[in-house]
């Protein structure tokens, strides 16, 4: 099974990730989405951080520029690794800026049928971007002393990979990660939403194709059958990187998610628990990928995000 065919399956399978932009906005959610205006501060758009066309980020700088240091919150966009843009999160980024944070949205090279982008290359682009984000903020007069990283769906996966896998190399301490419905690991038995849990040749071939596309490297069917694929997938398996030094974590998942495997989120929860991480895990028992049917839980999740921001990234 070629990586090229795997990418095609990948694009088809994850196009539903667009739904994770949480377009349903109950009245309470308006408090967490602010329309940008110059009264909030200054917005710098499309700052380059690499050679790729998509390698740009936006900075949202709060009005008060007199402080000796600021907290940075990076929020990574959704879109199933195949679509989306940092501008999709303007409401969230504006809200974070209104609270006094330097906020940042980062674009990354999207996976298509004609390029070699993968979850691994996307995560490496985010890793390369963060030092330049911190430097750009400092040059604008906003020195950063600590940060949080977050996102939705695909962006949540990339945020967790940075928080758990790459934080040791961050230019400032990573103290918090939050987000929703991001795939966190790749055990085939968890991916029953795509039938990858079945003991059939077809299931193993599909797993090899999908996981190859996500990793960006060919995983033979034989490695799926033997279990060797799990070590190969570790570079993009956020749950496998959780340690006692992992940052505080707030996550939400839908029990009926058909885009990403809900069972994988239980492995993430177990890893956070076993390592003594300060975490909050919210299960939306009636919802899919958009968390659309559990308004009370969704609200509690967002209120907890704000509480953890105030605790770990206080605006002083």
């Amino acid at each position: 099974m070629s990586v090229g065919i795997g990418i095609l399956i990948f694009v088809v399978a994850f196009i539903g990730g667009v739904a994770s932009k949480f377009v349903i906005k109950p009245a309470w959610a308006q408090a967490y989405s602010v329309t940008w205006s110059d009264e909030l501060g200054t917005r710098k758009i499309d700052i380059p951080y690499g050679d790729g066309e998509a390698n740009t980020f936006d900075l949202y700088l709060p009005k008060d520029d007199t402080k000796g240091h600021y907290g940075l919150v990076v929020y990574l966009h959704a879109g199933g690794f195949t679509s989306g843009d940092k501008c999709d999160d303007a409401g969230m980024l504006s809200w974070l800026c209104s609270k006094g944070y330097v906020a940042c949205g980062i674009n990354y090279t999207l996976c298509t049928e004609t390029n070699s982008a993968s979850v691994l290359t996307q995560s490496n682009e985010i890793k390369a971007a963060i030092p330049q984000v911190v430097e750009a903020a400092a040059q604008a007069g906003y020195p950063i002393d600590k940060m949080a990283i977050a996102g939705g769906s695909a962006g949540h996966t990339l945020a967790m990979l940075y928080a758990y896998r790459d934080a040791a190399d961050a230019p400032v301490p990573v103290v918090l990660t939050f987000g929703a419905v991001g795939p966190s690991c790749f055990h085939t038995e968890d991916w029953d939403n795509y039938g990858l849990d079945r003991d059939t040749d077809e299931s193993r071939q599909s797993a090899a194709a999908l996981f190859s596309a996500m990793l960006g490297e060919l995983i033979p069917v034989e490695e799926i059958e033997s279990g060797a694929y799990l070590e190969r997938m570790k570079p993009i398996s956020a749950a496998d990187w959780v340690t006692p030094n992992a940052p505080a974590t707030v996550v939400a998942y839908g029990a009926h998610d058909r885009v990403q495997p809900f069972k994988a989120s239980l492995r993430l929860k177990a890893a956070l628990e076993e390592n003594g991480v300060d975490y909050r895990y919210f299960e939306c028992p009636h919802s899919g990928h958009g968390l659309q049917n559990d308004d009370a839980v969704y609200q509690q999740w967002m209120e907890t995000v704000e509480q953890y921001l105030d605790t770990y990234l206080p605006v002083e």
Side-chain angles (χ1 to χ4, degrees):
M1 183 76 67
S2 72
V3 173
I5 294 174
I7 289 174
L8 177 59
I9 296 173
F10 172 72
V11 172
V12 173
F14 275 83
I15 197 67
V18 177
S20 68
K21 294 175 185 176
F22 310 119
V23 295
I24 300 173
K25 296 291 184 184
W28 62 263
Q30 296 175 10
Y32 300 101
S33 182
V34 174
T35 300
W36 177 259
S37 75
D38 291 341
E39 293 182 0
L40 297 177
T42 303
R43 184 166 60 173
K44 296 180 178 291
I45 303 297
D46 292 333
I47 302 171
Y49 70 86
D51 297 329
E53 182 179 353
N55 294 157
T56 62
F57 61 87
D58 296 346
L59 272 183
Y60 291 64
L61 304 168
K63 193 74 169 179
D64 184 355
D65 61 358
T66 64
K67 297 179 180 178
H69 56 82
Y70 293 81
L72 167 69
V73 184
V74 173
Y75 195 90
L76 304 175
H77 72 77
F81 306 104
T82 65
S83 64
D85 188 272
K86 52 187 168 51
C87 67
D88 298 335
D89 300 311
M92 168 68 78
L93 293 165
S94 298
W95 171 68
L96 291 164
C97 184
S98 73
K99 286 179 62 66
Y101 298 114
V102 173
C104 177
I106 304 174
N107 273 357
Y108 45 88
T109 304
L110 301 173
C111 177
T112 72
E113 297 177 54
T114 58
N115 68 17
S116 59
S118 66
V119 178
L120 182 58
T121 63
Q122 291 167 349
S123 70
N124 289 335
E125 287 181 0
I126 298 303
K127 182 178 180 180
I130 297 298
Q132 297 191 50
V133 170
V134 171
E135 181 180 0
Q139 289 179 349
Y142 296 80
I144 303 299
D145 67 337
K146 60 182 103 172
M147 66 173 285
I149 188 163
S153 190
H156 185 210
T157 294
L158 297 174
M160 289 190 291
L161 285 170
Y162 189 82
Y164 304 144
R165 189 193 71 188
D166 299 330
D169 298 322
V172 296
V174 181
V175 298
L176 173 65
T177 184
F178 63 90
V181 300
S184 63
C185 54
F186 298 91
H187 296 256
T188 54
E189 58 266 35
D190 295 344
W191 287 70
D192 54 354
N193 49 325
Y194 294 118
L196 305 188
D197 59 322
R198 299 168 188 162
D199 185 18
T200 65
D201 290 340
E202 182 181 8
S203 175
R204 286 185 281 273
Q205 289 170 0
S206 296
L210 181 57
F211 290 176
S212 292
M214 297 186 80
L215 182 63
E217 299 176 6
L218 181 63
I219 297 179
V221 173
E222 292 76 18
E223 292 191 10
I224 300 295
E225 189 167 15
S226 70
Y229 73 97
L230 287 171
E231 186 63 27
R232 292 281 302 280
M233 296 300 289
K234 183 175 179 179
I236 60 170
S237 298
D240 290 345
W241 293 94
V242 175
T243 71
N245 295 321
T249 299
V250 183
V251 296
Y253 285 92
H256 298 282
D257 198 328
R258 306 309 297 169
V259 176
Q260 76 88 39
F262 172 72
K263 290 179 181 178
S265 74
L266 300 180
R267 292 186 190 271
L268 172 65
K269 180 182 180 183
L272 294 166
E273 181 72 28
E274 291 168 5
N275 283 277
V277 178
D278 181 6
Y279 80 96
R280 293 291 303 277
Y281 174 97
F282 291 92
E283 177 182 329
C284 295
H286 308 104
S287 295
H289 202 59
L291 308 184
Q292 69 276 24
N293 298 323
D294 293 279
D295 190 59
V297 180
Y298 192 175
Q299 182 175 0
Q300 187 180 8
W301 167 58
M302 280 304 305
E303 289 173 347
T304 303
V305 166
E306 188 168 18
Q307 292 167 7
Y308 270 61
L309 282 168
D310 291 342
T311 299
Y312 287 94
L313 213 64
V315 177
E316 301 171 350

